[in-house]
Amino acid sequence: MSQTRHFLTDLDLSPEELDRVLNLATWMKQRPYAVKALAGPQTAAVIFDKTSTRTRFSFSAGIAALGGHPEVINPGDSQLGHKESIADTAGVLERMVSLIIWRTYAQSGLEEMAVRSRVPVINALTDDYHPCQLLADLLTIRERLGTLAGKSLAYLGDAANNMANSYLLAGVNAGMDVRIAGPEGYLPQERIIRTAEDRAAVTGGKVTITTDPDTALGGADAVATDTWISMGQEEQKDQRMQVFGDYQVSAKALAKAADAALVLHCLPAYRGAEITADVIDGPQSVVWDEAENRLHAQKALMAWLLVESGLTDDETVRLVREGERG
């Protein structure tokens, strides 16, 4: 019997598996309804402890395209975490659904859910990581640049948040030269840096952590940023606007990257704060492709996890194996 595969952090896929999932996403993007991994329709639980636009629509549309039914659970809709433990909730859900997708706060809660579940659990965002977003970002970069290994990616801004962590881990997992720039006090934790360096030693990727945005930007093939004010940080707005001012992705900053550097932002964006309007709406921006690719990357991930977990029919296995070969 196959062991259940989960996707809780960016490194839950090996470098080789990451390449296979991205190949599959490219293949499925051209054949949007070919793979019916959730035919039945089977149900996928999509649980939101935090508000969402792209995550909600991309997973709901993706589950439907795979032949399934998305059961979206909003905050307050279930007993999860207050009247019923995470373990008990997982014990119920695994008998009723084929996938559990959870957008929540603590990474530890997601890990507890996965330990108890016999169906794949997917991290749709936690305070520590946003790995599904990075699948979409890597797919977008690969579409434009043809390859990932050896390409350089600069991330500017709040480098202590989940996006910075995932850019670092996913980027080196793909063999990229990842440069993270943020002010003192807003840099990745040492455990994240060490983990990234260990993976980079295997893939040939590179890790640079700096407080100098110019060091990160120099000749970069792609430039990414994220909001300076995440959910729950609204009261720190004035302070954060001052702290991160030197890390804005502006035309002046972008000029220090490669001539045709791609610009990424996971959205929502605050024009005039972390990124200027002329850059995010300019010719080098790929944010709309990036947003669309959440759908394609997550469809591929869901189908792949179900196949690897031994939870699909032979035809789905055949199609997924064909697609992951590229």
Side-chain angles (χ1 to χ4, degrees):
M1 182 177 179
S2 300
Q3 180 179 0
T4 304
R5 293 294 301 269
H6 306 290
F7 189 59
L8 310 183
T9 81
D10 304 87
L11 299 189
D12 280 340
L13 297 177
S14 70
E16 188 265 340
E17 289 171 340
L18 172 61
D19 190 58
R20 286 161 58 192
V21 170
L22 293 177
N23 285 343
L24 179 60
T26 299
W27 187 89
M28 291 177 68
K29 188 173 181 176
Q30 301 303 315
R31 303 162 182 82
Y33 306 108
V35 178
K36 296 297 183 184
L38 291 170
Q42 300 173 53
T43 299
V46 190
I47 307 169
F48 291 98
D49 294 340
K50 293 186 175 185
T51 57
S52 168
T53 300
R54 279 148 299 279
T55 298
R56 179 184 298 266
F57 280 96
S58 58
F59 269 115
S60 293
I63 290 162
L66 292 173
H69 166 70
E71 183 63 35
V72 177
I73 304 166
N74 293 309
D77 284 354
S78 74
Q79 315 292 349
L80 175 60
H82 50 98
K83 290 185 178 180
E84 186 168 50
S85 70
I86 293 171
D88 286 354
T89 300
V92 172
L93 290 181
E94 69 168 2
R95 292 170 179 246
M96 299 182 180
V97 305
S98 298
L99 289 165
I100 300 171
I101 298 141
W102 193 9
R103 182 181 177 95
T104 189
Y105 294 89
Q107 182 73 18
S108 59
L110 198 76
E111 292 169 356
E112 184 179 354
M113 179 79 78
V115 167
R116 182 64 178 83
S117 175
R118 291 176 295 180
V119 301
V121 175
I122 296 174
N123 181 351
L125 179 143
T126 64
D127 289 343
D128 289 347
Y129 309 104
H130 199 356
C132 286
Q133 179 65 57
L134 261 293
L135 287 181
D137 289 10
L138 294 179
L139 178 62
T140 304
I141 295 169
R142 197 171 77 159
E143 285 177 341
R144 293 299 186 106
L145 302 183
T147 188
L148 294 170
K151 300 299 183 183
S152 52
L153 168 69
Y155 173 89
L156 272 60
D158 185 353
N161 70 7
N162 51 9
M163 283 304 301
N165 290 344
S166 279
Y167 272 119
L168 189 53
L169 297 178
V172 298
N173 203 29
M176 299 184 75
D177 171 4
V178 185
R179 309 151 180 190
I180 305 292
E184 289 287 355
Y186 297 90
L187 296 172
Q189 297 178 32
E190 282 298 322
R191 66 178 179 86
I192 301 291
I193 297 171
R194 288 196 300 271
T195 300
E197 290 173 339
D198 288 345
R199 183 56 58 95
V202 173
T203 64
K206 297 180 181 179
V207 173
T208 300
I209 309 297
T210 180
T211 58
D212 179 14
D214 291 353
T215 297
L217 286 165
D221 297 304
V223 178
T225 189
D226 185 26
T227 178
W228 293 342
I229 307 157
S230 297
M231 285 179 280
Q233 298 173 339
E234 290 81 6
E235 293 182 359
Q236 304 172 35
K237 179 179 179 180
D238 292 342
Q239 174 194 349
R240 284 176 165 264
M241 291 291 284
Q242 292 181 355
V243 168
F244 295 118
D246 292 337
Y247 300 86
Q248 183 184 68
V249 178
S250 62
K252 181 180 178 181
L254 189 59
K256 297 169 184 175
D259 289 344
L262 306 177
V263 174
L264 300 105
H265 192 306
C266 66
L267 303 176
Y270 298 89
R271 290 165 172 80
E274 73 273 5
I275 193 166
T276 57
D278 60 323
V279 170
I280 194 171
D281 298 323
Q284 292 172 249
S285 172
V286 293
V287 299
W288 312 116
D289 290 344
E290 181 186 3
E292 178 192 342
N293 279 337
R294 286 290 301 275
L295 170 63
H296 307 300
Q298 288 164 186
K299 281 174 62 180
L301 174 69
M302 289 186 285
W304 190 86
L305 289 173
L306 288 166
V307 166
E308 290 295 307
S309 301
L311 300 174
T312 59
D313 58 25
D314 291 343
E315 178 62 9
T316 297
V317 173
R318 184 187 70 79
L319 289 169
V320 165
R321 295 307 184 212
E322 178 182 344
E324 68 184 6
R325 290 192 294 269

